Each structure stands twice: as structure tokens, then as C-alpha cells.
Amino acid sequence: MKKYNVAIVGATGLVGSTFIKVLQEKKFPINNLKLLASANSAGKEIECFGKKWIVEELKEDSFKDVEIALFSAGGSISQKFAPIAVKSGATVIDNSSAWRQDKDVPLVVPEVNFGAIGDSKLIANPNCSTIQAMLPLKALKDKYGLKKVNFSTYQSVSGSGMKGINDLLSTRKGEKNSFYPYSIVDTCIPQIDVFLENGYTKEEMKMVYETRKILELPDLKISATCIRVPVLSCHGVSIQVELERDFKVEDVKELMKSFPGIVLADDPSNSIYPVSTMATNNDSVYVGRIRRDLSTDNSLLLYTVADNIRKGAASNAVQIAEKIISNN
Ligand SMILES: NC(=O)c1ccc[n+]([C@@H]2O[C@H](COP(=O)([O-])OP(=O)(O)OC[C@H]3O[C@@H](n4cnc5c(N)ncnc54)[C@H](OP(=O)(O)O)[C@@H]3O)[C@@H](O)[C@H]2O)c1
């Protein structure tokens, strides 16, 4: 079996270290691994794939002989270095938001729209909350048609990287908040990323634009409210979706059960529904609380939970890479 030269940009970060973990778990065929980060981490040793690797500072010439580059070092790094990596021959899968809205860059959830990749060498990984919502919405789109979607998210602090985790842990110890505008241990915060002129946050508008692009429904009516909650890992998304055609709740449950990547967790009388502890450290999207929306005809309510660092970031990217190499 062919082995690949893989680079991880942002290898010391939360998503980057999960890339390493997931690549190892999946026994990804690695020939050489290049671990790249800022100058601060250069020289640091990371042990994986049975060897010690030295972290290098990301530079323009870092991508020589690299075949697959997984990026997770923020938007400005991806903006500058992803084209450099592609030019030197790598296929780039980028976790930042830098390229997601570029019409020439496919935005991919493998279970939903892998075919969108075509022969593109730069592929964007969607936002962590968007990814998990795409699986049930794609299933519903194909069977019933989508008319309108309304998201409310419950996003863990790990979605903000190490700064978010550290702020929750220190405020749990009674220290003053240093990252979020309020002490996250005491409250939920209805702001993720900056506010835009339309009153929505950037995170909320990412969910709107990315959903339309992935589902290839450019005119779909969507709105979103994104909330940070005092939970370490996993995001929850409550979805209200108005469908083109009527449905039976039992049929929707069967539909979810059979869709790749989804685990149906919907037995309320036994307290079975998606919770963060269920999704932590695995790659499934848990779907439950499926019921008819009482406020609107042909409308459905459901709740999803997934690990934001795994299915919402690293695992989705590695799944893309696995599918690409298996198609080569
Ligand atoms: N957390 C999530 O749930 C999530 C989900 C989806 C996508 N993402 C995206 O993934 C990216 C990283 O997020 P994260 O949560 O992993 O953040 P993080 O834990 O703060 O890690 C950031 C990484 O970027 C590296 N970096 C920073 N400045 C750099 C530079 N000038 N040159 C090279 N490397 C540099 C850091 O290296 P040093 O250690 O050397 O500073 C570190 O490896 C962001 O674009 C984020 O939007 C995150």
C-alpha cells in the first residue's frame, strides 16, 4: 500500500494534536510526517507512529515533498500558506474559515458531498457546528425537501481552542475570566465570534452560508443563534426544519438510523437522547429528540451532538483524506 508524506500545520494545537491522534487510530499510511507550528514550538518533540518527531517552524519552504497537508493554525496562516502548499504539490484540507466561502474551494462533509471535491487540491472543512447538522439535513433534504432551517447551538469551550478550555478551568477554580467577556463557569454566553451589522455573529452567518453551500441550496431560508456553554467538549445543535413534504416521525427516525455517520439516540422514556458525554472522543453524530414542531406545518424538531474537535474538525478532515487516497 502506498504511504504518504503528511504535514500538519498547527500540530501543537487542540485540533492539530487531534489530527495526530486520529491519524494514528485510523492507521493512516504515513511515510513521513512534518509537524509545523509557530516559532515558539520549534524543537518540541512529539511522539507518535512509534517515533519521536521534532516540531518545525512553519515557513514558505515547509511543503517540499508533502503530499497531504492538514491545516489548523487559524485563518491568516491558511490564507497565506495553503496556496503555497498546493503550489508545491500537496492536497490541502483546511480547518480554518479562510477558504470556506471561496466558490472554487469545495466545502466538504464526506458523508454528504464528497463528490464536490472533483480534482480540487484545496478543500475546506466546514465550521464545527455546521458539520454535524449537515448529516440529518442531507437525509431530510433527499427524502422530503427543505424549506426553512433554524439553528440554535450549544457550543463547548473547546471550540475556542486552548484559550477557551483554560478560561473554563480557571473560572471553575474561582479565578477571574480572562478570555470570554463573562465568567463562563457561571453562565451561557450568546456570542461566538464578532457581531456583524445585521445583528448576527460571524459564527451564526457561517452556519447560514456554509449550510447553503454544502447542501447546494443557495436560496434556503436559514437563521442561527450560537451560544457558548460551560461544557468542555462537544457541541449541541437544536434544529427546527420546515420540510417541503409531510412526514411521519417514525419514518424520520428510520431515515436517521440508516444515514452513514449518524447514531440515533432517541428513547426519551429511558432518558436516551444526545448528550456531550456520549459523543466525547468518537466520530459519530448523535441525533435525537425527534418530534413534530407544533408551531409550523410539515416542520420537525431534532437535536444533534458531536465532538467538535473530532467530527467537527480533525476527524472530518482525516475522513476526507482517507477517501481521497482510497480513490487514487
Ligand atoms: N477548536 C475547534 O473546535 C475548532 C473546530 C474547527 C476548526 N477549528 C479551527 O482550527 C484552527 C486551530 O484551532 P485550535 O482550536 O486547534 O487552536 P489552538 O489550540 O489555539 O492551536 C493553534 C495552533 O496554531 C499554531 N500557530 C499559531 N500561530 C502560528 C504561526 N504564526 N505559524 C504557525 N503555526 C501557528 C499554534 O502553534 P504554537 O503552539 O506554536 O503557538 C497551534 O499549533 C483555527 O483556525 C480554528 O478556527 C477549531
Side-chain angles (χ1 to χ4, degrees):
M1 185 204 255
K2 177 172 162 44
K3 292 187 170 183
Y4 292 83
N5 296 333
V6 174
I8 299 180
V9 181
T12 51
L14 210 50
V15 176
S17 53
T18 309
F19 274 141
I20 297 172
K21 192 171 159 197
V22 174
L23 287 167
Q24 285 192 110
E25 280 175 18
K26 290 178 177 286
K27 300 189 170 34
F28 197 89
I30 299 266
N31 179 41
N32 187 41
L33 189 60
K34 206 165 229 195
L35 302 180
L36 302 164
S38 77
N40 295 337
S41 303
K44 202 173 154 187
E45 271 187 0
I46 295 182
E47 201 169 334
C48 58
F49 289 96
K51 266 176 80 172
K52 281 186 180 149
W53 308 81
I54 308 289
V55 176
E56 294 171 39
E57 181 185 355
L58 172 66
K59 292 194 178 140
E60 296 198 2
D61 63 0
S62 295
F63 298 97
K64 192 175 172 300
D65 297 330
V66 170
E67 296 168 284
I68 297 170
L70 304 172
F71 272 66
S72 68
S76 56
I77 300 287
S78 295
Q79 195 77 48
K80 178 174 173 192
F81 287 94
I84 293 173
V86 170
K87 206 168 167 201
S88 73
T91 295
V92 171
I93 305 170
D94 179 36
N95 254 285
S96 79
S97 56
W99 299 97
R100 290 179 191 155
Q101 290 313 314
D102 188 310
K103 66 175 179 32
D104 297 323
V105 176
L107 183 64
V108 175
V109 180
E111 299 88 340
V112 174
N113 66 336
F114 182 75
I117 291 179
D119 53 11
S120 180
K121 297 289 177 209
L122 172 54
I123 299 143
N125 219 38
N127 169 274
C128 40
S129 295
T130 310
I131 290 178
Q132 58 174 288
M134 290 308 96
L135 279 66
L137 286 181
K138 167 70 173 162
L140 291 167
K141 176 197 167 194
D142 289 350
K143 182 148 186 196
Y144 302 104
L146 305 185
K147 214 168 166 185
K148 215 187 261 183
V149 178
N150 196 354
F151 296 117
S152 297
T153 72
Y154 303 81
Q155 297 184 221
S156 67
V157 295
S158 58
S160 312
M162 281 316 296
K163 291 188 186 109
I165 291 182
N166 291 338
D167 213 29
L168 175 62
L169 296 180
S170 55
T171 49
R172 271 184 187 168
K173 286 191 264 172
E175 291 167 24
K176 195 175 156 19
N177 50 305
S178 57
F179 177 66
Y180 294 115
Y182 293 87
S183 175
I184 186 74
V185 76
D186 292 326
T187 190
C188 300
I189 302 176
Q191 175 185 359
I192 298 183
D193 211 330
V194 294
F195 280 100
L196 304 172
E197 270 180 14
N198 66 358
Y200 285 78
T201 62
K202 211 168 163 188
E203 182 85 353
E204 290 162 351
M205 292 313 295
K206 279 180 196 170
M207 290 196 78
V208 173
Y209 296 136
E210 293 180 20
T211 299
R212 288 178 180 152
K213 181 169 174 175
I214 295 163
L215 296 178
E216 296 177 351
L217 293 172
D219 300 319
L220 184 64
K221 289 186 167 63
I222 311 174
S223 55
T225 302
C226 292
I227 302 187
R228 186 74 67 198
V229 297
V231 168
L232 265 178
S233 82
C234 295
H235 292 351
V237 183
S238 172
I239 307 173
Q240 177 198 29
V241 51
E242 196 180 330
L243 302 169
E244 297 280 1
R245 294 178 285 284
D246 200 8
F247 58 90
K248 289 198 179 96
V249 167
E250 282 316 308
D251 291 347
V252 171
K253 288 186 183 178
E254 285 306 313
L255 183 66
M256 294 301 144
K257 225 192 253 178
S258 61
F259 196 85
I262 290 181
V263 173
L264 182 71
D266 201 338
D267 181 8
S269 58
N270 288 309
S271 304
I272 306 287
Y273 32 69
V275 290
S276 302
T277 43
M278 215 174 249
T280 299
N281 260 324
N282 70 69
D283 296 335
S284 298
V285 173
Y286 292 82
V287 178
R289 298 297 321 278
I290 297 171
R291 62 213 191 275
R292 194 169 277 281
D293 170 13
L294 302 178
S295 71
T296 310
D297 291 342
N298 295 350
S299 184
L300 182 74
L301 295 174
L302 58 144
Y303 182 62
T304 68
V305 172
D307 187 321
N308 53 297
I309 305 294
R310 290 189 61 114
K311 184 58 186 164
S315 300
N316 195 70
V318 174
Q319 286 166 345
I320 293 171
E322 280 186 315
K323 272 196 140 187
I324 289 173
I325 65 170
S326 74
N327 284 358
N328 277 346

